[in-house]
Amino acid sequence: MQREGLSPDEVTFTCLFNACGLTGNIDKGRRIHDEILPRCLLESNTILGNALLDMYAKCGMLVIAQQLFDKITVRNVVSWSALIAGYVQHERNHEAIHCFEEMQHEGIFPDSVTFICLLKACGNIGAIKKGEYINEKIVERGILKKDIVLGAALVDMYVKCGVLEKARKALQELPVRDLLSWNALISGYVQQEKANDALRSFEQMQCDGIAPNMVTLVCVLKACGSAGAIDKGEQIHERIMSEGFRDEENITILGTALVDMYAKCGSLIKAQKILLELPQRNIVSWNALITGYSQQGQGQEALACFEKMQNEGISPNKVTFLCILVACSHSG
């Protein structure tokens, strides 16, 4: 565009700042910022100023983003949301919540984007009281009906704070339950070692007519392994085979989860068969099998896997060494 002799305007610069923020290209963003300073466009264009602020926030230049924010004469919900999102993205959750409090003092009402960022901040630091307060504000505004992502963020916040009963209740009260919100609850149950609750939630999700994705299946396989529910695990295995996940990365992730599930359920022959059929084996998949043999007291088999793993050029990690030492103990 520049080679053709055309001068960019405010719309062009706004799009370019968005592009720089999405790609993390701070050097290009700074050059464009320097280019527009003599043209005094920022003073008169709030949208352009917000785009510049958002770019610096996304790129982690939060001091500059805050300075730009402080200079904006008319701050709106987009300005506040850009700054809050930047703080959350770069794990400065307390600053994000402080911005929310300042925003309220200025009489600016948050929108869905603001609330999603704030719920994430509360979940990251376990700020359950603040999270419940934000939940109340969301209900007051009546915006859950219009935003499915916000509903999933609400469930995820309660999950991360370890309040799984409230997470389940929040999910049940959502006007529309989608895959994101179900995944948040199921993964929460798995992380809190409540495997049976995870499996029940999976059944309810299917009753809602929602098909699982790879994240769901990995979580459910982990729950099956923890609960020793090999029958359910075999059903999931059949589903994976019938749906045919063709991407090699997905096959490796699901295959590793299957190895881990069968190993924890004591079906080590199946676990080893799946491992050896994987197009790409990694330290996680080998560790799952070695751990299974070690836990079942089959020390020689664990040591044999350890040798095969190294022959494939895969270096052991702390988990591997721990399992091998246990295997050596069992086998004398």
Side-chain angles (χ1 to χ4, degrees), residues 6 54 72 95 206 209 267 295 308 310 314 318:
L6 295 172
D54 184 61
I72 296 174
E95 287 97 325
Q206 291 179 297
S267 185
Q295 288 174 344
K308 288 176 185 174
Q310 291 180 98
I314 297 172
K318 288 187 287 186

Side-chain angles (χ1 to χ4, degrees), residues 11 83 117 160 221:
V11 175
L83 188 61
C117 294
K160 284 179 178 167
L221 286 170

Side-chain angles (χ1 to χ4, degrees), residues 135-150:
N135 188 358
E136 290 171 9
K137 292 294 176 187
I138 291 168
V139 172
E140 284 174 15
R141 299 288 304 280
I143 53 178
L144 274 176
K145 295 176 183 177
K146 303 172 186 173
D147 198 311
I148 296 173
V149 179
L150 180 58

Side-chain angles (χ1 to χ4, degrees), residues 10-201:
E10 290 96 328
V11 175
T12 325
F13 286 126
T14 299
C15 294
L16 289 170
F17 285 138
N18 289 336
C20 290
L22 290 169
T23 57
N25 194 337
I26 187 63
D27 293 332
K28 176 66 75 175
R30 277 177 158 164
R31 286 200 294 272
I32 296 167
H33 185 187
D34 291 340
E35 187 176 333
I36 65 172
L37 280 175
R39 298 173 64 171
C40 299
L41 296 173
L42 291 169
E43 288 78 2
S44 58
N45 193 311
T46 306
I47 295 172
L48 180 59
N50 286 339
L52 179 62
L53 164 62
D54 184 61
M55 185 272 292
Y56 278 116
K58 279 192 170 81
C59 292
M61 308 296 287
L62 293 166
V63 173
I64 297 174
Q66 184 71 60
Q67 289 169 351
L68 284 168
F69 178 82
D70 293 337
K71 289 176 184 176
I72 296 174
T73 52
V74 181
R75 294 192 283 260
N76 58 21
V77 68
V78 178
S79 320
W80 281 105
S81 294
L83 188 61
I84 289 169
Y87 278 129
V88 175
Q89 183 184 340
H90 297 283
E91 299 181 2
R92 291 173 61 175
N93 302 291
H94 290 287
E95 287 97 325
I97 292 170
H98 177 71
C99 282
F100 172 58
E101 290 162 357
E102 292 293 316
M103 176 182 179
Q104 288 182 298
H105 288 314
E106 288 194 8
I108 306 289
F109 288 105
D111 61 8
S112 294
V113 174
T114 329
F115 281 130
I116 288 167
C117 294
L118 289 166
L119 289 168
K120 188 172 182 181
C122 292
N124 288 343
I125 58 175
I128 182 64
K129 294 296 182 187
K130 182 61 73 174
E132 288 174 331
Y133 172 76
I134 292 166
N135 188 358
E136 290 171 9
K137 292 294 176 187
I138 291 168
V139 172
E140 284 174 15
R141 299 288 304 280
I143 53 178
L144 274 176
K145 295 176 183 177
K146 303 172 186 173
D147 198 311
I148 296 173
V149 179
L150 180 58
L154 185 61
V155 175
D156 187 59
M157 181 275 293
Y158 281 121
V159 166
K160 284 179 178 167
C161 290
V163 193
L164 293 172
E165 185 54 35
K166 286 197 173 181
R168 186 196 62 77
K169 188 171 181 290
L171 176 69
Q172 295 298 334
E173 291 176 353
L174 289 179
V176 179
R177 294 183 287 273
D178 71 335
L179 183 59
L180 278 176
S181 51
W182 277 112
N183 278 354
L185 183 63
I186 291 168
S187 65
Y189 279 132
V190 172
Q191 287 162 15
Q192 296 287 324
E193 298 181 356
K194 296 189 174 184
N196 289 320
D197 288 323
L199 294 174
R200 276 193 291 272
S201 295

